[in-house]
Amino acid sequence: MRYTPHTEADVKRMLESLGLNSLDELFRSIPAEVQARCRLSLPEPLTEMEVTALVEEVAAANCDPFATLSFLGGGAWDHYIPAATWQLLSRSELYTCYTPYQAEVSQGTLQAIYEYQSLVCRLTGMDIANASGYDGGSVTADAALMAAAINDERSVVLVSDTVNPAYRQVVETYNSGGRCTVRRVPSKNGATDPEALAAALDEDTVCVIVQSPNFLGALEDTAALCALAKEKGALSVVVCDPVALALTTSPGEAGADIAVGEGQPLGVPLSFGGPYLGFFATREGYKRQLPGRLVGMTEDVNGKPGYVLTLQTREQHIKRERATSNICTNQALLALAATIHLTLLGREGLTEAANLSLQKAHYLAERIAALPGWSLAYPEQPFFREFVLRPPKPPREVIEKALARGFLAGIDLGRLDSQWEGLLLTAVTEKRTRKQMDSLVETLASL
């Protein structure tokens, strides 16, 4: 959008035409106390050179991920992105595409979305996928709303304690003021407690939301959890990891009704929490409740393939009370990044990236757990790329000292939930070398 500032002459002419003497008179209909709350505390105007210096000063306060070794996870991971991914994505005809409001004139955009949907279905083992959502949290909340639309006579959404805390909060926010109540299912030893879930389930349960690998890195027994939900007629929502799916049972194979997740590991770089993309897939029978957009393939009168927006359950297109999504658009560019990334890697490449992450994570976990005073918090749980450590010192102190030596050692879980006080979440991707991991171990040993 072009920025067109008004000159003083412009403002003067406008006020004269309105018969006013000042901008204060123009806004006098707004109560003074409201105006006081809305006034911005802006500094004096700066020159371009001064603005550049100020922005550089602010940016320098950030931790540069390229100047440190990252062992962070918890929803966004430092996976390798082939240079060709963003080189292709930067082509002007792709980079400038926003959203297919007049989609049928943009067959290339529609075909890219169709290919993305197809890849998500293959990853998740589900029948049908939408054109992407905002991020992992929003699609998890959309899944709860969709389940509520399907089980419309029920009113309780169960969310496992081991689901990403940020996702849980989004689900609670989406349902606040609505007809559904969100309840947490306790965890046990770093995974969803099946006995607690069985006790919480009843004929009023809309759906059960679990995550695997969960926020603590552990692989949940999703098939058993989905079966428990099914016994009570509740839908099962599995939040999954697209890289881990190369090695683990897919939500479709586990019996899930809805599969969602964060697509950032598929060609989207770390970027201060976003923008990312959420993927969403479900069973054929629920396609009319699928939130967002769905692109389908058809043929024209000459038999040539064509792509069309087939279904949109958004409130702009159907009755608001029947809409299962408030998504205004999809993350078309980042969905395309994921499509290019997956196409470049192929099945073997994705499996290799997943396997390297798995092996390296276990190598580092074993080495750190062998240090005096250190241990794995949940040693009996199988894990994929992340694991929880119990350090001999407060995690915050460990993180600060490691950062001073160039390492992002992990996440202080106690900041997110009091039940995880004293625990450190550490992640390893295929990018970390053995030398880098050994250096982290030596650093932690010396703290």
Side-chain angles (χ1 to χ4, degrees), residues 25 40 67 79 103 112 166 198 249 275 305 324 341 411 433:
E25 286 188 33
L40 299 175
H79 280 285
T249 301
T324 55
H341 186 83
I411 297 173
T433 65

Side-chain angles (χ1 to χ4, degrees), residues 337-356:
T339 306
I340 295 173
H341 186 83
L342 284 169
T343 305
L344 288 172
L345 262 62
R347 183 190 296 272
E348 290 185 6
L350 185 65
T351 301
E352 184 175 352
N355 195 37
L356 285 172

Side-chain angles (χ1 to χ4, degrees), residues 125-162:
M126 306 298 280
D127 302 322
I128 193 167
N130 73 8
S132 81
Y134 292 135
D135 53 26
S138 66
V139 291
T140 304
D142 277 342
L145 296 182
M146 174 177 159
I150 296 169
N151 275 335
D152 58 358
E153 294 182 353
R154 302 181 175 208
S155 62
V156 176
V157 173
L158 296 179
V159 186
S160 170
D161 251 356
T162 60

Side-chain angles (χ1 to χ4, degrees), residues 279-300:
F279 59 87
F280 192 117
T282 187
R283 304 284 184 189
E284 172 78 18
Y286 301 134
K287 63 184 177 185
R288 294 202 172 276
Q289 285 81 32
L290 186 74
R293 289 187 170 93
L294 180 65
V295 173
M297 184 174 71
T298 185
E299 293 182 348
D300 65 13

Side-chain angles (χ1 to χ4, degrees), residues 100 103-115 295 307-309:
E104 280 65 30
V105 300
S106 180
Q107 283 291 295
T109 298
L110 288 178
Q111 181 176 359
I113 293 175
Y114 180 82
E115 302 294 349
V295 173
Y307 300 89
V308 293
L309 276 178

